[in-house]
Amino acid sequence: MITGGLKSKGWAALAAGVSLVFAAVVAPAASAVPEKLSSPDPNLTVTSVTLGRAAVAVSGLNTVAVPVTVAGGYKTTESGTVFLNVFLDRTGGTGPARYMVAALLGPASGTVQSGTWKGSLYVPSTANGTFKVTGVMEGTIIDGSDGSMTTPTPFAGPSVAVTGSHLPRIGVSIIPKVVPFGSAYKARVAITDSATGKAYGSRISVQITWDNLCVEHDGDRYLTNTAGIAERVYPAAAGDALNCVRLRGRAFDTAGLGWSVSRPGIVGATPSRTSVPVGTIVPVNGTVAGAPSTCAVVLQRLTGATAWRGVSQDVVRQSGRFTVLAQPPYVGNVIYRVYFPTCGRFQAGYSKSFVIRGS
């Protein structure tokens, strides 16, 4: 059976919206491929799907092979072997894996137009729960990275109950905790046994990668030490993309974790005028580094010796720019600054203070 050519369906929703820098939770290993209109292959007919086992128990980093047989047919005029892939979706349980794939089932009997295909589903401990056959798809690329819009042909098949124990737990720390713009940084990944909190004592192949390699193809592979630790230095450009860790199975990720690095709040602000009659509205234009669009900014005025009072606010535009409005309330120098509150992965920050003189 060919195994090298299969592209994964995709993985985790990557803990949608995760902006944390330190993480010790396992992200769901569900498809991250964008949703598309259902387009089952019209050439594929599925008569039956059979699983060789109705229940399995899996521990740690092991997998258990479950025989899978598909009866059906595929209309084609092309030469070469037709492979089928069987998809199973979670219907119950608490494991982080949300789907499984029995990949590259090969012809076993009959003809391509009317025959059977056989192979195995390699069940990880992270499946822990019940999975039901929901569809079948032809091919060696199942993550859409070839541009195909084909989706699995729906088929309500049998279920398998998985008892998973000693599931792997993924922890990630980013060094430094807040990554400056334009700087490289390091990700330190730890794989431990969630039941004991200890390392498995073996070297584990992990993918520590970024951007499209988090959802398509295979990513950059690293090997942990026996303490379960692996490190990668990310280039500066990766700081504005999704970062991830993937634990790969035969055809799908058994676990994964995604994150975005924390960024400093760097604010610049300049008043359009520096001396105006009292009560005149003065636009103050500025930018926030990294363009955290829709995040709030607040114009503050110094009152007394140390107290700052919010007097105007705006949200950062997609360009990274904003405009707040000052209005000097008295004759003399009025001191202002712009405050950027913590927003998602962007830390709080202040512009330099500036003066608008009221006359």
Side-chain angles (χ1 to χ4, degrees):
M1 178 178 292
I2 298 173
T3 58
L6 184 69
K7 304 294 192 301
S8 72
K9 177 184 178 185
W11 76 294
L14 292 176
V18 168
S19 59
L20 48 90
V21 177
F22 295 91
V25 296
V26 178
S31 173
V33 177
E35 293 295 327
K36 53 190 175 183
L37 294 177
S38 180
S39 303
D41 191 331
N43 295 317
L44 178 62
T45 300
V46 180
T47 304
S48 68
V49 177
T50 303
L51 301 180
R53 299 178 64 174
V56 295
V58 196
S59 178
L61 301 172
N62 298 312
T63 59
V64 172
V66 174
V68 181
T69 302
V70 175
Y74 193 78
K75 298 178 182 179
T76 180
T77 58
E78 298 180 3
S79 60
T81 303
V82 170
F83 293 98
L84 298 184
N85 307 281
V86 176
F87 293 84
L88 298 90
D89 289 329
R90 175 181 294 281
T91 58
T94 60
R98 290 185 182 172
Y99 80 97
M100 295 192 290
V101 184
L104 296 174
L105 276 63
S109 63
T111 65
V112 172
Q113 290 73 26
S114 179
T116 60
W117 284 257
K118 291 187 177 183
S120 294
L121 169 67
Y122 294 91
V123 180
S125 64
T126 54
N128 189 41
T130 304
F131 286 75
K132 180 179 176 61
V133 171
T134 56
V136 181
M137 188 166 74
E138 182 274 340
T140 59
I141 299 177
I142 57 177
D143 67 353
S145 59
D146 62 341
S148 170
M149 294 298 289
T150 301
T151 58
T153 297
F155 187 85
S159 296
V160 58
V162 182
T163 301
S165 60
H166 294 277
L167 279 60
R169 184 182 183 89
I170 302 175
V172 177
S173 58
I174 303 302
I175 305 168
K177 294 180 181 180
V178 179
V179 180
F181 293 97
S183 296
Y185 55 96
K186 181 186 292 185
R188 178 174 294 152
V189 175
I191 310 296
T192 57
D193 182 332
S194 61
T196 66
K198 299 179 180 179
Y200 289 101
S202 60
R203 305 190 73 184
I204 304 166
S205 177
V206 297
Q207 295 183 11
I208 309 174
T209 188
W210 59 293
D211 204 27
N212 67 305
L213 292 180
C214 288
V215 293
E216 295 179 354
H217 310 284
D218 281 333
D220 306 303
R221 290 185 178 272
Y222 292 80
L223 199 61
T224 71
N225 58 24
T226 55
I229 304 296
E231 295 182 341
R232 175 184 181 164
V233 175
Y234 276 95
D240 292 321
L242 176 67
N243 295 183
C244 65
V245 177
R246 302 171 63 182
L247 285 182
R248 292 286 288 147
R250 296 291 186 100
F252 57 95
D253 288 9
T254 61
L257 181 67
W259 70 90
S260 298
V261 300
S262 289
R263 290 297 203 187
I266 301 176
V267 187
T270 304
S272 59
R273 299 175 66 183
T274 57
S275 180
V276 296
V278 170
T280 301
I281 295 176
V282 180
V284 176
N285 299 307
T287 60
V288 180
S293 60
T294 73
C295 290
V297 287
V298 180
L299 178 66
Q300 297 179 328
R301 188 181 76 235
L302 183 63
T303 59
T306 59
W308 291 91
R309 174 187 175 190
V311 294
S312 173
Q313 71 176 48
D314 192 17
V315 295
V316 181
R317 301 187 289 272
Q318 289 186 344
S319 63
R321 300 190 63 81
F322 62 84
T323 300
V324 286
L325 303 176
Q327 191 173 15
Y330 54 81
V331 174
N333 291 337
V334 183
I335 301 175
Y336 293 94
R337 71 181 182 185
V338 174
Y339 169 53
F340 174 74
T342 297
C343 184
R345 67 193 184 102
F346 291 85
Q347 307 304 297
Y350 298 92
S351 72
K352 292 181 179 180
S353 60
F354 53 89
V355 173
I356 301 177
R357 181 172 180 79
S359 59

